[in-house]
Amino acid sequence: MISKKNDKFSTTNGEVAGLTEPSSPLEEFAKKVFDKLIEENVPPIPYYYKMYFLNMLDDEPENFRNQVYEFITLEETNELEKDLEVEKKLKQSFKYSKELLQHTAVLYKNSQAIKEIFEKYKQETKHIANPKLFERLISGFEEKLKKINDKLDSELNKIKELYSKNVEILKEIESNSIFDARYGIYNKKFFIRELAKEIKVIEKFKHKSSIVTLKVKDSIFNVLKSEKSKVLLNRSVAKIMLKTSRRTDIIAHLGDGVFAMLLKHTDRVGASKTVERLSDIISNSAIFLEGEEISIKIVAGVLEITRSEDVEIYLSHALEMMEKAEQDDVLYYVYEGY
């Protein structure tokens, strides 16, 4: 692990530490937590480790505690708060939907009343010979129709208002969505947000992470006739990416069949190996489309994040490497600009 100078988490001699001994106060503390679990015969699984970690952290010096909490804050997300906010919006949407149904029921009831009144007056007018009596009957009929029509207008306005409110809420929920429903992975908005967060963490703690952008080669898509087949092909790639990724990796669809991976704590060498492994798995996965077996080939761009830079600039460099790899008919290129 590359050390960070003048920092509580760095090694004391500034050299690359061995793998067997703790190289910083944080690693020493992590080992102490693990030793405590073993000592008390507690299974060293993530749930218990986190519980012991936070409890034992309270006994550490304040300066160390603050630095660890800062690291945790940078790493963790506020997904719970977002889930609660979405839940509140959904409950509001359900409330409006319920009111919509109630007003629709009133609308239906009034429309049935119109039919009944019409049938009643129809029967009454069959045997009327007196023109004045007939006129009074029609006048009464029109008056009742007007009252019902006023009620219908009122209900229709309420339905329109509730429908508009419901649409606004659902649009807001959709705008905050982090999921690409077509491919079952994260969307571009979430990827950019997580990438920006990771860049801040890297700026603080000086580790390395990498971006991989990839897509199916255009030559493969060119043999497919239908858009549905192309979607199914991309869906197969997305499933393989998701299945072979680590829990810490962020897999997303950027749009137009281009996928991206954020590989945390992974340098360009590790990211390149990930692309090679993915390529082997994908190319060996048989998929039948339009009556033929399709051999999937991908191209990719790899970029190592080493400093604070604009998210879109990082992403554009990775995409540039991917396009260049396709032009030169190679599996991937690594961005060497930094």
Side-chain angles (χ1 to χ4, degrees), residues 46-246:
Y47 174 80
Y48 293 118
Y49 187 87
K50 180 179 180 181
M51 186 168 60
Y52 270 67
F53 186 97
L54 294 175
N55 287 339
M56 293 173 65
L57 188 59
D58 290 337
D59 299 327
E60 295 297 312
E62 184 180 359
N63 186 41
F64 177 76
R65 284 204 313 272
N66 291 339
Q67 290 192 17
V68 172
Y69 283 133
E70 184 180 1
F71 181 77
I72 292 172
T73 301
L74 285 169
E75 287 284 5
E76 69 184 6
T77 64
N78 58 346
E79 291 304 316
L80 180 59
E81 291 180 11
K82 288 178 182 175
D83 288 344
L84 290 173
E85 192 61 31
V86 169
E87 189 174 323
K88 278 163 47 177
K89 285 185 170 63
L90 283 172
K91 284 183 178 178
Q92 197 172 7
S93 178
F94 286 136
K95 175 177 172 286
Y96 288 146
S97 297
K98 186 178 179 181
E99 290 180 24
L100 265 173
L101 290 173
Q102 289 171 344
H103 286 291
T104 303
V106 173
L107 201 66
Y108 176 77
K109 185 178 178 181
N110 284 328
S111 67
Q112 289 297 108
I114 290 175
K115 289 181 181 179
E116 291 172 5
I117 292 171
F118 179 77
E119 287 298 324
K120 176 186 174 185
Y121 279 91
K122 184 180 177 183
Q123 293 300 322
E124 290 181 1
T125 56
K126 279 183 178 181
H127 308 290
I128 295 177
N130 190 323
K132 289 185 177 180
L133 182 61
F134 182 78
E135 187 177 332
R136 284 200 301 271
L137 193 65
I138 293 299
S139 179
F141 179 56
E142 287 178 342
E143 188 177 340
K144 288 183 179 180
L145 277 182
K146 186 177 182 304
K147 288 180 181 179
I148 292 175
N149 192 56
D150 289 342
K151 288 182 180 179
L152 287 175
D153 286 342
S154 175
E155 292 300 320
L156 281 171
N157 287 331
K158 287 177 182 176
I159 286 173
K160 287 178 183 177
E161 183 183 348
L162 288 167
Y163 179 79
S164 297
K165 287 181 178 179
N166 220 3
V167 168
E168 284 176 15
I169 289 176
L170 292 173
K171 280 183 177 178
E172 190 175 346
I173 291 171
E174 186 180 11
S175 69
N176 292 318
S177 172
I178 64 172
F179 190 67
D180 187 298
R182 173 173 281 186
Y183 297 118
I185 54 180
Y186 291 117
N187 60 21
K188 182 178 180 178
K189 183 181 293 183
F190 180 79
F191 184 84
I192 287 177
R193 191 175 77 197
E194 290 299 302
L195 178 55
K197 192 191 306 178
E198 181 65 10
I199 290 170
K200 287 182 180 179
V201 174
I202 289 170
E203 184 181 8
K204 180 73 178 175
F205 297 102
K206 308 303 180 188
H207 63 275
K208 292 180 180 179
S209 294
S210 295
I211 303 168
V212 171
T213 54
L214 66 87
K215 68 173 185 175
V216 176
K217 295 183 73 171
D218 289 343
S219 58
I220 304 299
F221 276 132
N222 290 340
V223 302
L224 298 175
K225 298 175 182 177
S226 72
E227 188 63 29
K228 183 180 178 181
S229 296
K230 294 176 183 179
V231 171
L232 290 172
L233 189 63
N234 274 331
R235 195 172 288 167
S236 298
V237 172
K239 284 182 179 179
I240 293 171
M241 291 174 68
L242 200 59
K243 189 176 180 180
T244 57
S245 64
R246 303 169 301 182

Side-chain angles (χ1 to χ4, degrees), residues 214-217 220 233 236-241 244 274-288 293-299 331:
L214 66 87
K215 68 173 185 175
V216 176
K217 295 183 73 171
I220 304 299
L233 189 63
S236 298
V237 172
K239 284 182 179 179
I240 293 171
M241 291 174 68
T244 57
T274 297
V275 172
E276 292 166 4
R277 185 177 74 254
L278 261 177
S279 177
D280 288 340
I281 296 171
I282 290 172
S283 61
N284 289 323
S285 300
I287 179 169
F288 288 88
E293 182 178 352
I294 305 296
S295 178
I296 311 174
K297 301 294 181 184
I298 62 169
V299 287
L331 176 57

Side-chain angles (χ1 to χ4, degrees), residues 2-18:
I2 298 176
S3 64
K4 178 187 175 186
K5 295 181 180 178
N6 301 320
D7 190 88
K8 186 90 174 183
F9 299 113
S10 62
T11 59
T12 55
N13 58 10
E15 297 175 354
V16 178

